[in-house]
Every structure is written in C-alpha cells, then in structure tokens.
Amino acid sequence: THHWLAAPVQVGFVRLVPFVEGRASYFEHRIDGREQDIRSFGALGMHGSWYLTRDYDNVRNEFWDINRIRHINTFDFRAMLAATDLPSRFLHPWDEPGSAETPLVRGVDGTDVYQLGWRQRWQTKRGPTQRTIDLVTFDMVATWFGDVRTPRVSPDDDIARNNITADYSWQISDTTSLVGDLYY
C-alpha cells in the first residue's frame, strides 16, 4: 500500500507543496532466510516553484511562422528525506514484465534527495488560427543524493547518482522538431 498526502500553499509568488509519503509492503521470503516480513517506508519533504514571463510583441518572422514571443522561466526545487526499516539488499529482486534492467527491488530504499530546476519556454502564435505553441523549450535540472550507495531510491526510482540533465526542443514547423538532451 502506498499513500501520499500534500498540502499546496501559495506564499507570495512561490507555490510550496509540503508532503508526506508512506508505503507498506509485504514480502513472503527474504534473502537471509527469514520468512515473511512487512517493510515500511516513509518520506517527508517539500517541493515548490515560481515563474517569470516576458512578452516580445514586436517579434515577427514570416519564414519561421513566428508571431510574437512569450518567454516563460519556471524555477522549481524539491527536498526530501526518506527512510525504510528494511534495506532492499535483504529482499529478493524481481523482473518487471518486458524490462531489460537488472532485477532489483524498485524504489524503496531511503536517502535524502535535493533538486533544482530551471525550465524555459519560448512560445509563439502560429498558423491561420494563431494557436499558441512551444517554439523552443530548454530544461535544466540538478539532482543531489545524500546516499549514493543506495541502489535505487524514491521518489522516482532514480539511480542514486548526483547528476545534471538538460533537454532541448525546437519546433521548427508543425511536422519537424530538433531535440537534444544531456545527462552528466
């Protein structure tokens, strides 16, 4: 069973979401030979975001089908502390159907996780109906883990490695996009 409780609140221009998460799992056998065991997992944290925008109404380009630009900057963060009473190394791993990954107990070990993100959108109006599209998107996220020895951790079953990611997309036309990503 998995339960999550959040309480969003607006503080000035920042949206904050404190949350608590709990999980209880039943395992029939353990690697160390012990029989049935119930495993509990808990997490406490907060995530939040705020944004800044600017409109450039005089930007026009007929060749690229651009009619004004809106630049949206979204800044977000996440901080979470998590713990479990039974580490995954004592439990039998399993395969998910169709998964090519190494079998393991997924998303249940504890650590602290910190994330900072900066997401950018350049929007424009396109076509005869002047619909709004994301012309360019560029997202950067940095993640730090308090315990990188843990094989997998909540919240998102991430591999526990400190990392920086970037994703880019340019919607050149209605049928063509240029995309790229970076993981360091």
PDB file of all heavy atoms in Angstrom, residues 6 24 29-30 32 37 43 48 68-69 71-72 74-75 93 96 102 105 110-111 115 119 121 148 160 164 174:
ATOM      1  N   ALA A   6      -0.365  15.736   0.438  1.00  0.00           N
ATOM      2  CA  ALA A   6       0.281  17.013   0.129  1.00  0.00           C
ATOM      3  C   ALA A   6      -0.650  18.149   0.509  1.00  0.00           C
ATOM      4  O   ALA A   6      -1.874  17.998   0.479  1.00  0.00           O
ATOM      5  CB  ALA A   6       0.614  17.085  -1.353  1.00  0.00           C
ATOM      6  N   ALA A  24       3.804   0.606   2.779  1.00  0.00           N
ATOM      7  CA  ALA A  24       3.982  -0.656   3.490  1.00  0.00           C
ATOM      8  C   ALA A  24       3.924  -1.770   2.456  1.00  0.00           C
ATOM      9  O   ALA A  24       3.036  -1.792   1.600  1.00  0.00           O
ATOM     10  CB  ALA A  24       2.902  -0.850   4.538  1.00  0.00           C
ATOM     11  N   HIS A  29       9.366 -13.958   1.443  1.00  0.00           N
ATOM     12  CA  HIS A  29      10.685 -14.513   1.786  1.00  0.00           C
ATOM     13  C   HIS A  29      11.744 -13.426   1.680  1.00  0.00           C
ATOM     14  O   HIS A  29      11.635 -12.521   0.873  1.00  0.00           O
ATOM     15  CB  HIS A  29      11.065 -15.659   0.838  1.00  0.00           C
ATOM     16  CG  HIS A  29      10.128 -16.804   0.882  1.00  0.00           C
ATOM     17  ND1 HIS A  29      10.073 -17.679   1.938  1.00  0.00           N
ATOM     18  CD2 HIS A  29       9.188 -17.220   0.001  1.00  0.00           C
ATOM     19  CE1 HIS A  29       9.156 -18.589   1.706  1.00  0.00           C
ATOM     20  NE2 HIS A  29       8.591 -18.331   0.531  1.00  0.00           N
ATOM     21  N   ARG A  30      12.797 -13.573   2.496  1.00  0.00           N
ATOM     22  CA  ARG A  30      13.941 -12.672   2.444  1.00  0.00           C
ATOM     23  C   ARG A  30      15.172 -13.450   1.999  1.00  0.00           C
ATOM     24  O   ARG A  30      15.239 -14.669   2.141  1.00  0.00           O
ATOM     25  CB  ARG A  30      14.196 -12.054   3.824  1.00  0.00           C
ATOM     26  CG  ARG A  30      13.150 -11.061   4.233  1.00  0.00           C
ATOM     27  CD  ARG A  30      13.359 -10.501   5.600  1.00  0.00           C
ATOM     28  NE  ARG A  30      14.753 -10.259   5.952  1.00  0.00           N
ATOM     29  CZ  ARG A  30      15.128  -9.484   6.948  1.00  0.00           C
ATOM     30  NH1 ARG A  30      14.232  -8.870   7.684  1.00  0.00           N
ATOM     31  NH2 ARG A  30      16.391  -9.336   7.236  1.00  0.00           N
ATOM     32  N   ASP A  32      18.104 -13.479   3.395  1.00  0.00           N
ATOM     33  CA  ASP A  32      18.821 -14.039   4.534  1.00  0.00           C
ATOM     34  C   ASP A  32      18.092 -15.225   5.177  1.00  0.00           C
ATOM     35  O   ASP A  32      18.470 -15.685   6.251  1.00  0.00           O
ATOM     36  CB  ASP A  32      19.111 -12.960   5.572  1.00  0.00           C
ATOM     37  CG  ASP A  32      17.848 -12.290   6.098  1.00  0.00           C
ATOM     38  OD1 ASP A  32      16.736 -12.716   5.728  1.00  0.00           O
ATOM     39  OD2 ASP A  32      17.986 -11.319   6.863  1.00  0.00           O
ATOM     40  N   ASP A  37       7.916 -10.848   5.926  1.00  0.00           N
ATOM     41  CA  ASP A  37       8.303  -9.588   6.539  1.00  0.00           C
ATOM     42  C   ASP A  37       7.468  -8.459   5.940  1.00  0.00           C
ATOM     43  O   ASP A  37       7.136  -8.484   4.753  1.00  0.00           O
ATOM     44  CB  ASP A  37       9.786  -9.305   6.305  1.00  0.00           C
ATOM     45  CG  ASP A  37      10.399  -8.494   7.436  1.00  0.00           C
ATOM     46  OD1 ASP A  37       9.645  -7.851   8.188  1.00  0.00           O
ATOM     47  OD2 ASP A  37      11.625  -8.507   7.558  1.00  0.00           O
ATOM     48  N   ALA A  43       8.650   9.110   3.812  1.00  0.00           N
ATOM     49  CA  ALA A  43       9.354  10.269   3.262  1.00  0.00           C
ATOM     50  C   ALA A  43       8.634  11.541   3.697  1.00  0.00           C
ATOM     51  O   ALA A  43       7.411  11.561   3.846  1.00  0.00           O
ATOM     52  CB  ALA A  43       9.418  10.197   1.746  1.00  0.00           C
ATOM     53  N   GLY A  48       8.467  23.054  -4.658  1.00  0.00           N
ATOM     54  CA  GLY A  48       7.871  24.344  -4.932  1.00  0.00           C
ATOM     55  C   GLY A  48       8.328  24.891  -6.269  1.00  0.00           C
ATOM     56  O   GLY A  48       9.261  24.362  -6.881  1.00  0.00           O
ATOM     57  N   ARG A  68       5.016  37.041 -32.511  1.00  0.00           N
ATOM     58  CA  ARG A  68       5.297  37.407 -31.118  1.00  0.00           C
ATOM     59  C   ARG A  68       5.952  36.248 -30.379  1.00  0.00           C
ATOM     60  O   ARG A  68       5.853  35.105 -30.772  1.00  0.00           O
ATOM     61  CB  ARG A  68       4.080  37.951 -30.377  1.00  0.00           C
ATOM     62  CG  ARG A  68       3.039  36.962 -29.966  1.00  0.00           C
ATOM     63  CD  ARG A  68       1.778  37.631 -29.451  1.00  0.00           C
ATOM     64  NE  ARG A  68       1.917  38.280 -28.177  1.00  0.00           N
ATOM     65  CZ  ARG A  68       1.679  37.697 -27.018  1.00  0.00           C
ATOM     66  NH1 ARG A  68       1.313  36.447 -26.961  1.00  0.00           N
ATOM     67  NH2 ARG A  68       1.820  38.356 -25.901  1.00  0.00           N
ATOM     68  N   ILE A  69       6.642  36.576 -29.295  1.00  0.00           N
ATOM     69  CA  ILE A  69       7.329  35.582 -28.453  1.00  0.00           C
ATOM     70  C   ILE A  69       6.968  35.853 -27.000  1.00  0.00           C
ATOM     71  O   ILE A  69       6.984  36.996 -26.551  1.00  0.00           O
ATOM     72  CB  ILE A  69       8.872  35.666 -28.617  1.00  0.00           C
ATOM     73  CG1 ILE A  69       9.316  35.297 -30.030  1.00  0.00           C
ATOM     74  CG2 ILE A  69       9.587  34.803 -27.574  1.00  0.00           C
ATOM     75  CD1 ILE A  69       9.311  33.825 -30.343  1.00  0.00           C
ATOM     76  N   HIS A  71       8.415  34.532 -23.377  1.00  0.00           N
ATOM     77  CA  HIS A  71       9.477  33.766 -22.715  1.00  0.00           C
ATOM     78  C   HIS A  71       9.012  33.479 -21.296  1.00  0.00           C
ATOM     79  O   HIS A  71       8.780  34.404 -20.513  1.00  0.00           O
ATOM     80  CB  HIS A  71      10.783  34.551 -22.719  1.00  0.00           C
ATOM     81  CG  HIS A  71      11.941  33.788 -22.164  1.00  0.00           C
ATOM     82  ND1 HIS A  71      13.108  34.404 -21.794  1.00  0.00           N
ATOM     83  CD2 HIS A  71      12.125  32.479 -21.907  1.00  0.00           C
ATOM     84  CE1 HIS A  71      13.954  33.499 -21.334  1.00  0.00           C
ATOM     85  NE2 HIS A  71      13.374  32.318 -21.388  1.00  0.00           N
ATOM     86  N   ILE A  72       8.884  32.200 -20.949  1.00  0.00           N
ATOM     87  CA  ILE A  72       8.429  31.781 -19.629  1.00  0.00           C
ATOM     88  C   ILE A  72       9.578  31.052 -18.938  1.00  0.00           C
ATOM     89  O   ILE A  72      10.078  30.046 -19.460  1.00  0.00           O
ATOM     90  CB  ILE A  72       7.202  30.850 -19.719  1.00  0.00           C
ATOM     91  CG1 ILE A  72       6.075  31.542 -20.483  1.00  0.00           C
ATOM     92  CG2 ILE A  72       6.754  30.420 -18.328  1.00  0.00           C
ATOM     93  CD1 ILE A  72       4.935  30.621 -20.850  1.00  0.00           C
ATOM     94  N   THR A  74      10.473  29.026 -15.516  1.00  0.00           N
ATOM     95  CA  THR A  74       9.926  28.370 -14.335  1.00  0.00           C
ATOM     96  C   THR A  74      11.089  27.837 -13.514  1.00  0.00           C
ATOM     97  O   THR A  74      11.935  27.103 -14.039  1.00  0.00           O
ATOM     98  CB  THR A  74       8.985  27.217 -14.712  1.00  0.00           C
ATOM     99  OG1 THR A  74       7.960  27.730 -15.570  1.00  0.00           O
ATOM    100  CG2 THR A  74       8.364  26.597 -13.475  1.00  0.00           C
ATOM    101  N   PHE A  75      11.131  28.202 -12.261  1.00  0.00           N
ATOM    102  CA  PHE A  75      12.160  27.734 -11.335  1.00  0.00           C
ATOM    103  C   PHE A  75      11.485  26.806 -10.342  1.00  0.00           C
ATOM    104  O   PHE A  75      10.426  27.124  -9.814  1.00  0.00           O
ATOM    105  CB  PHE A  75      12.809  28.915 -10.610  1.00  0.00           C
ATOM    106  CG  PHE A  75      13.386  29.934 -11.548  1.00  0.00           C
ATOM    107  CD1 PHE A  75      12.640  31.030 -11.952  1.00  0.00           C
ATOM    108  CD2 PHE A  75      14.664  29.777 -12.040  1.00  0.00           C
ATOM    109  CE1 PHE A  75      13.159  31.966 -12.825  1.00  0.00           C
ATOM    110  CE2 PHE A  75      15.205  30.705 -12.914  1.00  0.00           C
ATOM    111  CZ  PHE A  75      14.446  31.794 -13.310  1.00  0.00           C
ATOM    112  N   PRO A  93      15.041  -9.695  -5.541  1.00  0.00           N
ATOM    113  CA  PRO A  93      14.659  -8.807  -6.653  1.00  0.00           C
ATOM    114  C   PRO A  93      13.670  -9.520  -7.570  1.00  0.00           C
ATOM    115  O   PRO A  93      13.559 -10.734  -7.555  1.00  0.00           O
ATOM    116  CB  PRO A  93      15.981  -8.546  -7.361  1.00  0.00           C
ATOM    117  CG  PRO A  93      16.843  -9.692  -7.015  1.00  0.00           C
ATOM    118  CD  PRO A  93      16.401 -10.183  -5.653  1.00  0.00           C
ATOM    119  N   GLU A  96      10.278  -6.820 -13.868  1.00  0.00           N
ATOM    120  CA  GLU A  96       9.002  -6.338 -14.364  1.00  0.00           C
ATOM    121  C   GLU A  96       8.844  -6.898 -15.762  1.00  0.00           C
ATOM    122  O   GLU A  96       9.815  -7.001 -16.512  1.00  0.00           O
ATOM    123  CB  GLU A  96       8.994  -4.812 -14.396  1.00  0.00           C
ATOM    124  CG  GLU A  96       8.902  -4.199 -13.029  1.00  0.00           C
ATOM    125  CD  GLU A  96       8.694  -2.696 -13.101  1.00  0.00           C
ATOM    126  OE1 GLU A  96       8.250  -2.194 -14.147  1.00  0.00           O
ATOM    127  OE2 GLU A  96       8.966  -2.041 -12.098  1.00  0.00           O
ATOM    128  N   THR A 102      18.439  -4.783 -14.844  1.00  0.00           N
ATOM    129  CA  THR A 102      18.827  -5.778 -13.850  1.00  0.00           C
ATOM    130  C   THR A 102      17.702  -5.907 -12.829  1.00  0.00           C
ATOM    131  O   THR A 102      17.195  -4.909 -12.344  1.00  0.00           O
ATOM    132  CB  THR A 102      20.120  -5.331 -13.139  1.00  0.00           C
ATOM    133  OG1 THR A 102      21.120  -5.102 -14.124  1.00  0.00           O
ATOM    134  CG2 THR A 102      20.581  -6.372 -12.144  1.00  0.00           C
ATOM    135  N   VAL A 105      14.786  -4.714  -6.257  1.00  0.00           N
ATOM    136  CA  VAL A 105      13.625  -4.219  -5.539  1.00  0.00           C
ATOM    137  C   VAL A 105      13.552  -2.732  -5.833  1.00  0.00           C
ATOM    138  O   VAL A 105      14.462  -1.984  -5.505  1.00  0.00           O
ATOM    139  CB  VAL A 105      13.758  -4.492  -4.029  1.00  0.00           C
ATOM    140  CG1 VAL A 105      12.550  -3.945  -3.289  1.00  0.00           C
ATOM    141  CG2 VAL A 105      13.918  -5.975  -3.778  1.00  0.00           C
ATOM    142  N   GLY A 110      15.908   4.305   1.266  1.00  0.00           N
ATOM    143  CA  GLY A 110      15.794   5.688   1.717  1.00  0.00           C
ATOM    144  C   GLY A 110      17.065   6.483   1.563  1.00  0.00           C
ATOM    145  O   GLY A 110      18.169   5.949   1.574  1.00  0.00           O
ATOM    146  N   THR A 111      16.912   7.785   1.428  1.00  0.00           N
ATOM    147  CA  THR A 111      18.015   8.734   1.393  1.00  0.00           C
ATOM    148  C   THR A 111      17.409  10.134   1.423  1.00  0.00           C
ATOM    149  O   THR A 111      16.197  10.282   1.498  1.00  0.00           O
ATOM    150  CB  THR A 111      18.895   8.551   0.144  1.00  0.00           C
ATOM    151  OG1 THR A 111      20.044   9.381   0.266  1.00  0.00           O
ATOM    152  CG2 THR A 111      18.165   8.888  -1.128  1.00  0.00           C
ATOM    153  N   GLN A 115      16.711  18.685  -5.439  1.00  0.00           N
ATOM    154  CA  GLN A 115      16.659  19.001  -6.863  1.00  0.00           C
ATOM    155  C   GLN A 115      16.438  20.489  -7.067  1.00  0.00           C
ATOM    156  O   GLN A 115      15.660  21.111  -6.332  1.00  0.00           O
ATOM    157  CB  GLN A 115      15.502  18.272  -7.548  1.00  0.00           C
ATOM    158  CG  GLN A 115      15.841  16.921  -8.050  1.00  0.00           C
ATOM    159  CD  GLN A 115      14.664  16.290  -8.804  1.00  0.00           C
ATOM    160  OE1 GLN A 115      13.515  16.643  -8.590  1.00  0.00           O
ATOM    161  NE2 GLN A 115      14.984  15.354  -9.658  1.00  0.00           N
ATOM    162  N   ARG A 119      13.347  25.723 -16.023  1.00  0.00           N
ATOM    163  CA  ARG A 119      12.667  25.292 -17.243  1.00  0.00           C
ATOM    164  C   ARG A 119      12.258  26.549 -18.011  1.00  0.00           C
ATOM    165  O   ARG A 119      11.653  27.453 -17.446  1.00  0.00           O
ATOM    166  CB  ARG A 119      11.459  24.442 -16.889  1.00  0.00           C
ATOM    167  CG  ARG A 119      11.863  23.230 -16.065  1.00  0.00           C
ATOM    168  CD  ARG A 119      10.675  22.552 -15.407  1.00  0.00           C
ATOM    169  NE  ARG A 119      11.056  21.740 -14.269  1.00  0.00           N
ATOM    170  CZ  ARG A 119      11.694  20.586 -14.316  1.00  0.00           C
ATOM    171  NH1 ARG A 119      12.055  20.089 -15.481  1.00  0.00           N
ATOM    172  NH2 ARG A 119      11.988  19.927 -13.221  1.00  0.00           N
ATOM    173  N   ARG A 121      10.519  28.225 -21.652  1.00  0.00           N
ATOM    174  CA  ARG A 121       9.647  28.063 -22.809  1.00  0.00           C
ATOM    175  C   ARG A 121       9.635  29.376 -23.573  1.00  0.00           C
ATOM    176  O   ARG A 121       9.460  30.447 -22.985  1.00  0.00           O
ATOM    177  CB  ARG A 121       8.202  27.758 -22.402  1.00  0.00           C
ATOM    178  CG  ARG A 121       8.005  26.551 -21.538  1.00  0.00           C
ATOM    179  CD  ARG A 121       8.041  25.273 -22.385  1.00  0.00           C
ATOM    180  NE  ARG A 121       7.928  24.078 -21.577  1.00  0.00           N
ATOM    181  CZ  ARG A 121       8.941  23.462 -20.976  1.00  0.00           C
ATOM    182  NH1 ARG A 121      10.153  23.957 -21.053  1.00  0.00           N
ATOM    183  NH2 ARG A 121       8.772  22.360 -20.307  1.00  0.00           N
ATOM    184  N   VAL A 148      24.621   7.950  -2.074  1.00  0.00           N
ATOM    185  CA  VAL A 148      24.740   7.415  -3.426  1.00  0.00           C
ATOM    186  C   VAL A 148      25.088   5.927  -3.436  1.00  0.00           C
ATOM    187  O   VAL A 148      25.217   5.330  -4.488  1.00  0.00           O
ATOM    188  CB  VAL A 148      25.764   8.211  -4.274  1.00  0.00           C
ATOM    189  CG1 VAL A 148      25.266   9.614  -4.527  1.00  0.00           C
ATOM    190  CG2 VAL A 148      27.128   8.225  -3.623  1.00  0.00           C
ATOM    191  N   ALA A 160      20.802   6.325  -7.950  1.00  0.00           N
ATOM    192  CA  ALA A 160      21.315   7.290  -6.971  1.00  0.00           C
ATOM    193  C   ALA A 160      22.682   7.808  -7.385  1.00  0.00           C
ATOM    194  O   ALA A 160      23.700   7.415  -6.852  1.00  0.00           O
ATOM    195  CB  ALA A 160      21.362   6.647  -5.588  1.00  0.00           C
ATOM    196  N   ILE A 164      23.309  16.233 -13.498  1.00  0.00           N
ATOM    197  CA  ILE A 164      22.756  17.424 -14.135  1.00  0.00           C
ATOM    198  C   ILE A 164      22.197  16.971 -15.471  1.00  0.00           C
ATOM    199  O   ILE A 164      22.877  16.270 -16.227  1.00  0.00           O
ATOM    200  CB  ILE A 164      23.829  18.511 -14.347  1.00  0.00           C
ATOM    201  CG1 ILE A 164      24.368  18.988 -13.004  1.00  0.00           C
ATOM    202  CG2 ILE A 164      23.259  19.676 -15.142  1.00  0.00           C
ATOM    203  CD1 ILE A 164      25.537  19.949 -13.124  1.00  0.00           C
ATOM    204  N   ASP A 174       5.284  22.540 -38.065  1.00  0.00           N
ATOM    205  CA  ASP A 174       4.267  21.666 -37.482  1.00  0.00           C
ATOM    206  C   ASP A 174       4.651  20.198 -37.553  1.00  0.00           C
ATOM    207  O   ASP A 174       4.118  19.376 -36.812  1.00  0.00           O
ATOM    208  CB  ASP A 174       2.925  21.871 -38.176  1.00  0.00           C
ATOM    209  CG  ASP A 174       2.301  23.208 -37.816  1.00  0.00           C
ATOM    210  OD1 ASP A 174       2.734  23.810 -36.817  1.00  0.00           O
ATOM    211  OD2 ASP A 174       1.376  23.635 -38.531  1.00  0.00           O
TER     212      ASP A 174
END
